Amino acid sequence: FLSKEFWFMSIHREKRVSMKLVAEKAEVSLQTVSRVVNKSSGVSLETRQHVQRVINELGYRPNRVASAMRGSSKTLGVVGYGLEYYGPSHTLIGVEQEASRLGYSISLQLVQDPENFDAPAIIDHMLDSLVDGIVWCIPQIGNNFEVVDEHAKKISTPLIYTDVYSSTADFVVCSDNYTGGCIATRHLIEQGHKRIAIITGPQAYASAQERQRGWHDTMLEQGLDPDISLIKEGNWTASSGADCFYTLMQQTPNVTAVFASNDQMALGVMSVAQKMEKRIPDDLAIVGYDDIPEAVFFRPSLTSIRQDTVRLGANAVSQIITIIENLRIGGEVETTLSQIQPELVIRASSLSTS
């Protein structure tokens, strides 16, 4: 797990591969490199081949917007997934709304499998579309981020992430999932619960890990045992929440509260609990995550952690446009790491009636 202090560290932006670096490595002039890149005349075949080898070795890629248009395309490349899920779809809504407000269009590419995709091909496609910047809305799952970051650092077009928890990323806007996990768990403890289970999202997801870490640390801080038997792994669906809760009740029947890492899984917990004739919240308190619009209509209404994913997408766009403008005028760009803070929305599913 990543330490919370990571987000307050000062991290220097790594130097990107530039035309100047290519010229220095190849021991030729900037003009020669420019001629090779733009396929202009006036360069011998031997020199052209030598410079091209250095370009390939360093992974240099020209800024196609600058070379083709001498200005801005007013287009952002957006890579997303999961339109069927509340969080990812609303992040994209925020991206589109803010881009439109600021006079930018978007070139959207959806990924079907967020764990397996061809990152270089996706980024190259975006660059071929002459985008000014890229907003990467794919969650960090396993090592999928490393492949993207490796390629992103070789291009001059800036790229910002919306769901990454790595100190090597240059530009990140994300939800503070760790704090969300802490808030949910602390609320249940304040209601008098000591055996608090958690149903996590898929453990390959960094966001699921962060919510679990918040639960774990808060339990320890309050002198409670975050026993492994209290942890069940779901897959974000209501059916997985139901299955996890059924297993939990078979193995650890003395649980009095459940923190479900999204509202869909919380709905599954509610369904099984009611079939078991458990009264909510008297016999079982439940807290979800996301605060989907339907949460208020659950019976009983669902306490949930609200994360403003629309604002998350909007902030990513406003920050990448600021970065684009600074780079265009030759200004320095510092690493950007910012978080959207979650909020506890208390409803009937968790309030003690005693």
Side-chain angles (χ1 to χ4, degrees), residues 197-347:
I198 180 172
I199 297 178
T200 74
Q203 282 298 295
Y205 281 65
S207 57
Q209 295 175 18
E210 286 294 284
R211 293 172 197 179
Q212 181 181 334
R213 189 168 68 89
W215 167 84
H216 177 275
D217 288 357
T218 304
M219 292 282 280
L220 284 179
E221 288 171 4
Q222 299 299 316
L224 301 177
D225 182 12
D227 187 84
I228 193 171
S229 66
L230 299 172
I231 304 170
K232 300 300 174 193
E233 181 180 357
N235 65 5
W236 304 126
T237 66
S239 61
S240 75
D243 292 342
C244 287
F245 183 67
Y246 182 75
T247 302
L248 186 69
M249 287 296 95
Q250 287 183 315
Q251 298 175 350
T252 316
N254 61 343
V255 163
T256 64
V258 172
F259 166 34
S261 292
N262 79 342
D263 289 349
Q264 284 86 354
M265 292 191 297
L267 177 60
V269 173
M270 276 189 172
S271 176
V272 172
Q274 289 165 351
K275 289 177 182 178
M276 292 180 172
E277 298 185 345
K278 287 184 176 291
R279 297 169 301 164
I280 302 171
D282 298 321
D283 300 326
L284 182 75
I286 303 173
V287 174
Y289 208 106
D290 285 336
D291 191 36
I292 62 175
E294 295 81 6
V296 71
F297 297 106
F298 288 11
R299 286 294 174 264
S301 57
L302 179 65
T303 295
S304 187
I305 301 296
R306 177 180 294 164
Q307 54 171 351
D308 193 341
T309 48
V310 172
R311 184 158 68 96
L312 172 67
N315 282 11
V317 167
S318 62
Q319 290 199 30
I320 196 69
I321 289 176
T322 297
I323 293 164
I324 290 166
E325 291 174 348
N326 285 342
L327 289 174
R328 185 171 294 126
I329 63 175
E332 292 295 322
V333 179
E334 296 182 356
T335 296
T336 301
L337 299 168
S338 63
Q339 293 178 301
I340 303 295
Q341 292 303 308
E343 174 189 358
L344 176 67
V345 180
I346 301 175
R347 299 191 182 96

Side-chain angles (χ1 to χ4, degrees), residues 81-95 137 309-310:
Y81 97 109
L83 293 182
E84 69 273 25
Y85 296 114
Y86 181 82
S89 64
H90 280 68
T91 299
L92 292 177
I93 288 173
V95 167
C137 301
T309 48
V310 172

